[in-house]
């Protein structure tokens, strides 16, 4: 059973906001190191960040999805990579709801363990007595340098044949200790450099049957945090937090700025006024849509499972999430356009934010597949990524 003291949403959010200014002073350090410094990892652990995804029934604080998102947003305001790693690492509590009690006791005895890993089925798991033999190499293991646990998705095989159910191949998620995987130093990226999102691999590793799970079959969780798409709900917090930080930075910078060719203050300059107003408009709309969608979904889950709520509510969180990523990328690019060449030098935080956002929007959650998934679902077609709609 998961143990530990619960922390309230207000306390977690206050702690994250208090930590953000220090994270901002270390943004360049984190970016250059290509991973989070150990002291930051342990600060987050001590704050209770890695335990906040646990539901109350599993000994956690029982935060809503919106409350969790706001904590990640506050951390990302200080440093994008820290917010991203916190979000990935804190998924331990979400995964816990899909594991049985025996697996929880063996893998997650406390609520402060950090999980890394990729859920896409990039591996091969061959059925054997009592479990599976897992082989594969996965990319994008964010936070894996400091993780305690690792997840990995894989296709199921019976010998050399892909296992099928209802005419479709079977995939599962596999839970491991960090010392059971090999990590490769591959994360030399454009942005989110501090996330340390390295490759990792296993070779014929035995995984007990009860250390595997499926997002459609919760075993220990029964509430609103035990749904197939729970993990994705909090993801907009990272781009929104970073973008709010960029907006605040440029607003402060603008106080002392003049147009070089005319000496006109930015406060009196139409272009500066328009671009800042336009960026604030996009941000307000993007964040407001995300917040409204999460509140609407949470309320709808009062009496229903996710698969039973109306289609329009199911697609709302998906589309507002994808829109938030794309809107934040546009906003930061526009701010860099306003500031000009000063924004491209590494001492400027705009350089880090632009690179972080460029990398972040290569994530599947910002892809066209998400929008296609919503459209196909509404039309009765085949969604490209059905998991985010709770569809098998």
């Amino acid at each position: 059973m998961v143990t530990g003291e619960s922390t309230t949403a207000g306390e977690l959010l206050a702690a994250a906001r208090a930590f953000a200014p220090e994270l901002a002073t270390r943004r360049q350090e984190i970016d250059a190191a290509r991973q989070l410094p150990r002291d930051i990892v342990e600060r987050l652990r001590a704050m209770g960040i890695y335990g906040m995804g646990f539901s109350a029934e599993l000994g956690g604080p029982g935060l809503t999805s919106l409350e969790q998102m706001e904590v990640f947003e506050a951390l990302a305001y200080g440093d994008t990579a820290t917010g991203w790693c916190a979000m990935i690492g804190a998924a331990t509590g979400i995964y816990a709801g899909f594991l049985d009690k025996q697996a929880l006791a063996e893998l997650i005895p406390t609520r402060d363990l950090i999980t890394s890993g990729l859920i896409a089925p990039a591996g091969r798991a061959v059925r054997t007595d009592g479990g599976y033999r897992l082989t594969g190499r996965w990319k994008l293991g964010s936070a894996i340098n400091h993780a305690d646990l690792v997840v990995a998705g894989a296709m199921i095989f019976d010998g050399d044949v892909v296992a099928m159910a209802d005419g479709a191949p079977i995939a599962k998620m596999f839970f491991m200790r960090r010392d059971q995987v090999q990590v490769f130093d591959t994360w030399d990226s454009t942005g989110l450099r501090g996330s340390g999102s390295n490759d990792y691999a296993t070779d014929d590793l035995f995984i007990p049957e009860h250390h595997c799970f499926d997002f459609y079959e919760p075993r220990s969780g029964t509430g609103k945090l035990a749904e197939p798409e729970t993990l994705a709900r909090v993801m907009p917090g990272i781009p929104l937090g970073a973008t709010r930080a960029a907006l605040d930075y440029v607003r402060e910078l603008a106080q002392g700025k003049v147009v070089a060719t005319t000496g006109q203050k930015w406060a009196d300059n139409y272009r500066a006024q328009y671009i800042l107003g336009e960026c604030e408009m996009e941000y307000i709309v993007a964040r407001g849509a995300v917040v409204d969608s999460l509140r609407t979904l949470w309320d709808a889950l009062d009496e229903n499972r996710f698969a039973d709520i109306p289609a329009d509510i199911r697609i709302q969180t998906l589309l507002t999430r994808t829109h938030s990523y794309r809107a934040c990328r546009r906003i930061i690019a526009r701010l860099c356009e306003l500031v000009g060449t000063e924004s491209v030098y590494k001492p400027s935080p705009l350089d880090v934010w632009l690179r972080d956002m460029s990398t972040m929007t290569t994530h599947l959650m910002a892809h066209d597949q998400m929008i296609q998934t919503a459209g196909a679902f509404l039309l009765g077609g085949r969604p490209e990524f059905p998991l985010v709609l709770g569809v098998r």
Side-chain angles (χ1 to χ4, degrees), residues 44-274:
L44 295 172
R45 197 192 302 270
M47 287 161 56
I49 297 299
Y50 300 121
M52 73 180 192
F54 286 90
S55 62
E57 65 188 334
L58 292 178
L63 271 62
T64 69
S65 294
L66 176 57
E67 288 168 340
Q68 292 181 50
M69 190 206 81
E70 288 176 332
V71 173
F72 298 131
E73 186 179 30
L75 292 170
Y77 186 92
D79 175 63
T80 320
T82 300
W84 185 268
C85 284
M87 175 193 68
I88 298 296
T92 310
I94 302 300
Y95 296 132
F98 297 91
L99 296 169
D100 66 20
K101 301 297 184 183
Q102 182 181 355
L104 287 180
E106 293 169 356
L107 291 166
I108 315 176
T110 64
R111 288 194 299 103
D112 61 354
L113 300 182
I114 303 164
T115 300
S116 174
L118 184 71
I119 67 172
R124 173 190 178 101
V126 180
R127 282 182 172 137
T128 189
D129 290 343
Y132 302 85
R133 310 298 307 195
L134 179 65
T135 300
R137 178 162 173 160
W138 296 263
K139 294 182 177 295
L140 305 172
S142 298
I144 200 163
N145 291 346
H146 57 265
D148 304 298
L149 302 163
V150 178
V151 294
M155 304 303 298
I156 306 302
F157 283 75
D158 291 316
D160 292 328
V161 179
V162 177
M164 306 287 286
D166 299 323
I170 301 172
K172 285 185 179 290
M173 294 291 297
F174 295 82
F175 226 117
M176 300 157 276
R177 300 188 315 275
R178 165 64 176 78
D179 61 12
Q180 292 179 291
V181 306
Q182 182 179 4
V183 176
F184 303 89
D185 185 8
T186 54
W187 190 245
D188 191 2
S189 62
T190 299
L192 282 180
R193 290 176 61 82
S195 68
S197 302
N198 291 308
D199 289 12
Y200 61 102
T202 63
D203 184 14
D204 199 36
L205 176 68
F206 176 72
I207 305 289
E209 175 69 42
H210 63 289
H211 288 190
C212 309
F213 66 95
D214 182 324
F215 279 119
Y216 298 94
E217 298 174 4
R219 296 175 185 170
S220 297
T222 59
K224 300 180 183 184
L225 297 176
E227 297 288 352
E229 45 60 76
T230 302
L231 196 63
R233 295 176 198 166
V234 301
M235 295 188 72
I238 312 307
L240 289 170
T243 301
R244 183 67 263 167
L247 281 162
D248 289 350
Y249 171 78
V250 174
R251 283 168 65 168
E252 183 175 351
L253 188 71
Q255 300 305 309
K257 280 285 189 180
V258 297
V259 179
T261 54
T262 66
Q264 184 186 37
K265 292 180 179 180
W266 273 22
D268 300 321
N269 178 259
Y270 179 86
R271 177 172 178 267
Q273 294 166 343
Y274 181 86

Side-chain angles (χ1 to χ4, degrees), residues 302-315:
D302 281 340
E303 305 295 335
N304 302 284
R305 301 299 298 183
F306 186 77
D308 299 321
I309 64 177
D312 285 347
I313 295 177
R314 291 167 74 178
I315 68 167

Side-chain angles (χ1 to χ4, degrees), residues 335-346:
L335 292 173
C336 289
E337 178 187 339
L338 173 62
V339 173
T341 55
E342 181 183 331
S343 69
V344 305
Y345 292 94
K346 284 192 174 181

Side-chain angles (χ1 to χ4, degrees), residues 19 36-46 50 114 146:
F19 194 25
L36 294 194
R38 177 56 61 176
D39 68 297
I40 288 178
V41 173
E42 295 309 321
R43 267 288 280 287
L44 295 172
R45 197 192 302 270
Y50 300 121
I114 303 164
H146 57 265

Side-chain angles (χ1 to χ4, degrees), residues 8-22:
T8 69
E11 290 169 341
L12 282 161
L13 183 57
R17 286 175 173 166
F19 194 25
E22 180 180 337

